[in-house]
Amino acid sequence: MVKKRVGVLVSGRGSNLQALLDACADPAFPAEIVLVLSNVPGAYALERAERAKVATVTISHKGFPGGREAFDAAMDVELRKAGVDIVCLAGFMRLLSPGFVQSWAGRMINIHPSLLPSFKGLHTHAQALAAGVKLHGCTVHLVTPDLDDGPILVQAAVPVLADDSEESLAARVLEQEHKAYPLALRLIAEGKVAVDGNRAKVEAPGFGALVNPVP
Ligand code: GRF
């Protein structure tokens, strides 16, 4: 098996990066992480990468000469140099320029902590609590130029409980993020995704349903 080469873009604590690193540690997993790129010097995600002996690059956006396109071009150089096939955004807290997104179309995925298309943007758990939804969750999707948009690959739903706080709900969702992201990467790496307009058709062995409250 020729493993797909993955570059992960991070800005923070990197718990999703860790889930991907752990998945890639399995010799049977169809992808390997070859580069972790951070726009934040000292991000904890970088330590995780170093511990896993994965190459890291930091390109700080602060004071970067030439604006967003130039910054994205600098990231692109690093990704191409590392021979990356698939880009994973894992808590990467920067908007991407349309040209960069276009050049990785179909090969760049993101994880978002809500059941898209509900609750785009920031503070998704507060948004879900304010809306009173009974199911919340996370989404892994292909990246398109619009924020938190693009064909959906994997979603995981969790119940919203009556006494939930933003923190308790975030923790419940995060646990599922760490399962959903490796699953989505595996599906993409194995070529099991066919995109038809805004719909990604995914070859997967099963399906499940979650109802809350339990009848
Ligand atoms: C996650 O909740 C992810 O869904 C969102 O940013 C957060 C990153 O967390 N895009 P971590 O850095 O992976 O721990």
Side-chain angles (χ1 to χ4, degrees):
M1 172 188 42
V2 180
K3 291 188 181 235
K4 295 284 186 211
R5 296 171 67 82
V6 176
V8 186
L9 307 190
V10 297
S11 302
R13 76 187 155 179
S15 71
N16 278 290
L17 166 67
Q18 190 65 56
L20 296 176
L21 287 167
D22 293 348
C24 289
D26 176 353
F29 197 77
E32 60 178 326
I33 299 176
V34 296
L35 181 69
V36 171
L37 195 158
S38 173
N39 67 313
V40 177
Y44 185 59
L46 292 166
E47 277 182 43
R48 297 183 190 264
E50 281 155 20
R51 223 181 295 140
K53 307 213 178 339
V54 171
T56 63
V57 172
T58 301
I59 309 176
S60 176
H61 61 281
K62 283 201 185 140
F64 192 88
R68 193 175 300 282
E69 277 77 17
F71 178 83
D72 289 358
M75 288 201 300
D76 199 68
V77 166
E78 296 296 336
L79 292 166
R80 309 265 173 204
K81 213 162 61 182
V84 163
D85 303 305
I86 299 169
V87 177
C88 291
L89 307 181
F92 185 67
M93 301 303 285
R94 269 183 72 80
L95 295 174
L96 296 167
S97 53
F100 179 82
V101 172
Q102 204 46 51
S103 72
W104 290 97
R107 301 191 295 145
M108 179 154 64
I109 60 182
N110 179 45
I111 185 151
H112 181 75
S114 78
L115 292 172
L116 288 172
S118 290
F119 316 136
K120 295 181 177 183
L122 296 174
H123 310 300
T124 56
H125 310 301
Q127 291 189 55
L129 289 173
V133 293
K134 294 287 177 275
L135 293 171
H136 182 44
C138 62
T139 303
V140 186
H141 63 96
L142 285 162
V143 177
T144 54
D146 291 327
L147 183 68
D148 301 330
D149 210 70
I152 291 171
L153 302 173
V154 173
Q155 293 188 302
V158 299
V160 180
L161 305 181
D163 60 354
D164 263 332
S165 63
E166 216 177 312
E167 292 69 32
S168 62
L169 187 52
R172 194 173 308 123
V173 171
L174 193 64
E175 204 182 318
Q176 297 308 314
E177 292 186 39
H178 297 160
K179 296 180 186 155
Y181 214 173
L183 169 59
L185 177 57
R186 181 156 62 76
L187 292 168
I188 282 277
E190 287 177 342
K192 292 197 166 153
V193 177
V195 179
D196 178 9
N198 201 36
R199 193 165 173 199
K201 300 200 172 167
V202 172
E203 264 178 63
F207 64 91
L210 176 62
V211 176
N212 185 62
V214 176

